[in-house]
Amino acid sequence: MLPTIEWKGKHIRMIDQRKLPGRVQWVVCKNDKDVVRAIRSMVIRGAPAIGVAAAMGLALGSEAVKATAYDAFDRGFREMAERMVKARPTAVNLRWAVERMILLVEQMAGRDPEEIRITLREESEKILSEDIEINLKIGEHGNRLVPRKAVILTHCNAGSLATGGYGTALGVIRAAHDAGKKIKVIADETRPWLQGLRLTAFELMEDGIPVTVIADSAAGSLMHQGKVDLVITGADRIAANGDVANKIGTYQVAVLAKENKIPFYVAAPLSTIDLRIKSGDTIPVEERDSTEISHFRNIRVGPPGVKVFNPAFDVTPGKYVSGIITEAGIAKAPYQKGIKYLFKNR
């Protein structure tokens, strides 16, 4: 299993996910601005992985905050943190990681900036290791929901490439496979970036887990034919009422699953749940560049000047979600109560 992101000496390197599966290529980030560019340009993606990248980016960037006194360091660090948090608006893990790093700096008020820099790097390494451990726990809890023999449909990529390692939705799938269950996976291709085709299929094939890729529009037909037993996806942000923001196309998969009486589960760490957001109606949805739709590999495929609407995510109401799988357990409806219970007992 390839590491998604890691420290390499004084720099950070991450797999360029735009190049997979054809080529494994590393992008080296030498400062926080490089990390912001990598997040915005989809070099690294997936809510947990973006959170790890943000924490590492702030630790890396702190080296360039040339201050010998705490107050000056704090001002420079906060300016950098504000730039980082704007890199991608929907994935709440990014803000969570930034706020955790800011809190660490606050707790070290009055200390030598060099000591703070060292502690920031240690904290970013801790966030990475915690994420991997969290994913393993998500897999353990989610495995209980997977029958001994099952066909699982997933959308986008919520595997090791979208996290610090192991994965959320694919973490559940990996845990079921490791438990000896006879599972097969159907992966939506996931337009326009084809994360299902390029990344999910790549990960599962590397692990020897049977996978078949379908066009996004084929999911409903397969469900109607009884060829899907359950659906598991990841999430970029979950509201306090159980509404889920995830890669565009997730909502229609959830509606189709409900119509065909198929369980629809969401696997995500508690850090993806935003208790400050009461419902999905107020989750910010990023709209990306029109060329992601009108072009393919920099070749125009649509007529010149055609209007394009390109939201990166959609919001699935909690009523379509059968359960939210976290490292603290599985929340069920009513989600206001179920989610609060998880936070209380984590």
Side-chain angles (χ1 to χ4, degrees), residues 4 22 117 208 323-324 328-329 342:
T4 307
R117 293 184 187 101
I324 299 172
L342 291 182

Side-chain angles (χ1 to χ4, degrees), residues 215-287:
D216 293 350
S217 53
S221 176
L222 289 181
M223 290 182 189
H224 182 66
Q225 295 173 52
K227 295 182 178 180
V228 175
D229 296 306
L230 68 158
V231 179
I232 308 175
T233 73
D236 286 84
R237 187 180 300 215
I238 301 173
N241 70 339
D243 293 350
V244 176
N246 194 48
K247 183 56 56 183
I248 191 72
T250 302
Y251 169 64
Q252 60 200 38
V253 172
V255 172
L256 288 165
K258 186 82 168 182
E259 172 66 21
N260 288 278
K261 297 179 175 57
I262 296 169
F264 177 93
Y265 296 110
V266 173
L270 289 176
S271 59
T272 301
I273 301 174
D274 190 349
L275 297 178
R276 294 171 294 188
I277 299 289
K278 293 183 179 180
S279 77
D281 294 337
T282 54
I283 293 177
V285 175
E286 173 188 1
E287 186 175 348

